[in-house]
Amino acid sequence: VAFAGFLGIALPTVAMTSSGIFITSLDEEFSCPRAEVAVGLTIASLISIPFSPMVGALIDRYGVRRIGLPGLAATTLAMAAFSLADGSLSQWMLLWFVYGVAALFVQPTLWAAAISSTFHAGRSTALSVAFSGMSMVLIAVPPLTEWLINNLGWRSAYVWLAVIFGLPPLVIAYFCLFDDRDRRTLSMKGRSAAPALTESPALTESALDGLTIAEAIRSVPLYRIAAASLITLLFGAAFLVHQFPILTEAGVSRQNAALLASLAGVASVTGKLMTGWLMERYDGGLIGSITNSMMAVGIFLLWEPFRSPLTIVIAMLVIGYSNGAKLQICAFLTSVYAGVRNYGKIFGVMVSLMAGAGGFGPLLGGIIYDQTGGYNALIIIAIPFNLIAGLLLFRLGAYPQWTRVQA
């Protein structure tokens, strides 16, 4: 399940990660403002705001398999369809709307629900392994996209990205994507083709352990987790999409900018795995607080008065580490303080908030650039907000009694 999540969660990350590299090509061909290019991500993310909780409810009702397999196929086709862009803003917005609807069904809620229902011991580590698929994209996609654009053109680049990152998770998920509900269903049907689908010894929580919806609405820790996640996703998405032009306008060549983006991806993998390991052994809120605050330090090092080749490299490492852990922190802390009883619905709400922030972040970066002619204002605004995101997770409180976190 964790491996299926690793590949599956990478797919919708490709569009956001590569969009900054496509900005220059789209601008050269269609002469469109950067805010118009970024508005597509905003549309896709806005779709998640009202519908992510509904998808979470569908996952709770029907299981991850029935939702995930069609979602992977539809998202792959929708990503390839970006190659049809003709410079029309309305068509560009329509392409992103279709993509946003398809990506709803392969969002992190799906993979987090599959893992949370399967693992109790080592849950944070399993989540970090799955979410490392996003970091794998940060490593591979920038140089790959740059190579595809330079050698095949931006239209073919979209198609090949869809094929490379869409087909493998679809195949693996067909054989591996099962949650506890799917296992029980297949066991009752007596399917001999799945001998391993018996009750997992790692599953030590009852499916009914956790908050009711009414209790979740009154949970202060969940509100703090949501607010911290919203802030980190807002500015994390802004820097993720605009990191390529930020670096090139700081004097870094396009090739080196792509390599630095990949370096940030390596740091992102480290951030996910290290955070997962630490949260299994120490207070999760404290680890999340420190990790979120690190983002402010990395952003500070990109500020023009302090920027140098060395600080740029350090900044990309720190930002990559912190950015890589943000979803892992939210998913694990939500499972700890909400339990698994209504995890799909509750984490679906978290994802909808993060999606809204993640969609508005790139647009915010584009607007600031168009209005000021640079990214310094974005950097100045992001520093205090990321410190606030760290403080929100500090001292969340003792873990609820139903959660028996084990290493």
Side-chain angles (χ1 to χ4, degrees):
V1 174
F3 183 57
F6 175 87
L7 295 175
I9 206 168
L11 176 58
T13 311
V14 173
M16 175 177 287
T17 304
S18 63
S19 60
I21 304 174
F22 282 104
I23 284 178
T24 303
S25 298
L26 294 170
D27 185 24
E28 290 175 352
E29 181 153 345
F30 302 124
S31 300
C32 52
R34 296 187 181 185
E36 288 188 5
V37 177
V39 77
L41 283 169
T42 303
I43 291 171
S45 298
L46 288 176
I47 293 172
S48 296
I49 296 176
F51 294 113
S52 286
M54 296 174 60
V55 173
L58 291 174
I59 292 170
D60 287 340
R61 182 176 178 84
Y62 297 108
V64 297
R65 185 173 179 82
R66 294 182 182 179
I67 304 300
L69 292 180
L72 287 168
T75 303
T76 300
L77 294 174
M79 185 182 300
F82 288 133
S83 64
L84 303 176
D86 60 6
S88 166
L89 178 59
S90 59
Q91 187 225 30
W92 182 247
M93 294 170 68
L94 177 61
L95 289 172
W96 276 99
F97 176 83
V98 173
Y99 171 83
V101 172
L104 275 174
F105 299 95
V106 291
Q107 60 189 348
T109 306
L110 178 85
W111 313 106
I115 290 170
S116 295
S117 72
T118 303
F119 292 89
H120 177 64
R123 179 187 296 167
S124 179
T125 302
L127 285 169
S128 66
V129 169
F131 290 157
S132 293
M134 302 173 70
S135 301
M136 179 269 291
V137 168
L138 298 180
I139 297 171
V141 165
L144 175 61
T145 303
E146 179 71 7
W147 185 88
L148 289 171
I149 291 174
N150 290 337
N151 291 274
L152 303 177
W154 67 267
R155 295 185 188 276
S156 295
Y158 271 124
V159 175
W160 277 106
L161 286 175
V163 171
I164 293 170
F165 291 96
L167 293 184
L170 183 60
V171 174
I172 297 299
Y174 179 80
F175 293 103
C176 300
L177 184 58
F178 301 93
D179 62 10
D180 186 50
R181 180 184 292 99
D182 298 319
R183 292 182 176 91
R184 291 197 303 268
T185 300
L186 293 178
S187 179
M188 286 187 294
K189 291 181 178 179
R191 285 186 54 170
S192 58
L197 300 181
T198 58
E199 192 69 22
S200 170
L203 185 63
T204 61
E205 281 186 316
S206 165
L208 296 179
D209 282 339
L211 299 180
T212 65
I213 297 300
E215 290 170 335
I217 292 174
R218 298 192 299 269
S219 173
V220 174
L222 290 182
Y223 281 109
R224 291 171 61 181
I225 294 167
S229 300
L230 188 149
I231 293 171
T232 56
L233 261 293
L234 175 68
F235 291 102
F239 279 90
L240 177 62
V241 171
H242 292 275
Q243 65 180 351
F244 202 77
I246 287 174
L247 292 172
T248 54
E249 291 179 16
V252 180
S253 68
R254 288 182 61 88
Q255 291 75 16
N256 286 337
L259 292 176
L260 282 172
S262 294
L263 183 65
V266 174
S268 179
V269 174
T270 304
K272 279 185 173 59
L273 297 177
M274 181 62 70
T275 300
W277 184 84
L278 290 172
M279 293 180 87
E280 293 282 359
R281 289 157 177 79
Y282 305 102
D283 180 72
L286 176 61
I287 300 302
S289 176
I290 295 172
T291 305
N292 283 352
S293 300
M294 288 174 59
M295 182 76 170
V297 177
I299 294 172
F300 177 81
L301 294 176
L302 286 178
W303 195 7
E304 188 171 359
F306 306 99
R307 194 166 58 205
S308 70
L310 177 60
T311 61
I312 289 175
V313 173
I314 296 174
M316 294 301 291
L317 288 171
V318 175
I319 291 174
Y321 182 97
S322 181
N323 240 354
K326 59 186 183 294
L327 189 57
Q328 153 74 10
I329 292 169
C330 180
F332 177 70
L333 290 179
T334 301
S335 73
V336 166
Y337 287 96
V340 297
R341 181 177 187 176
N342 289 291
Y343 184 80
K345 300 181 187 72
I346 295 170
F347 191 60
V349 172
M350 295 286 189
V351 169
S352 71
L353 293 174
M354 291 189 291
F360 183 69
L363 180 61
L364 175 65
I367 292 173
I368 289 176
Y369 179 88
D370 291 339
Q371 295 297 318
T372 66
Y375 291 103
N376 270 336
L378 176 65
I379 291 172
I380 293 171
I381 295 170
I383 293 171
F385 272 96
N386 278 277
L387 291 174
I388 293 172
L391 290 174
L392 284 168
L393 297 183
F394 186 64
R395 292 190 175 180
L396 282 174
Y399 290 166
Q401 290 300 313
W402 67 74
T403 307
R404 301 173 297 280
V405 179
Q406 304 172 26

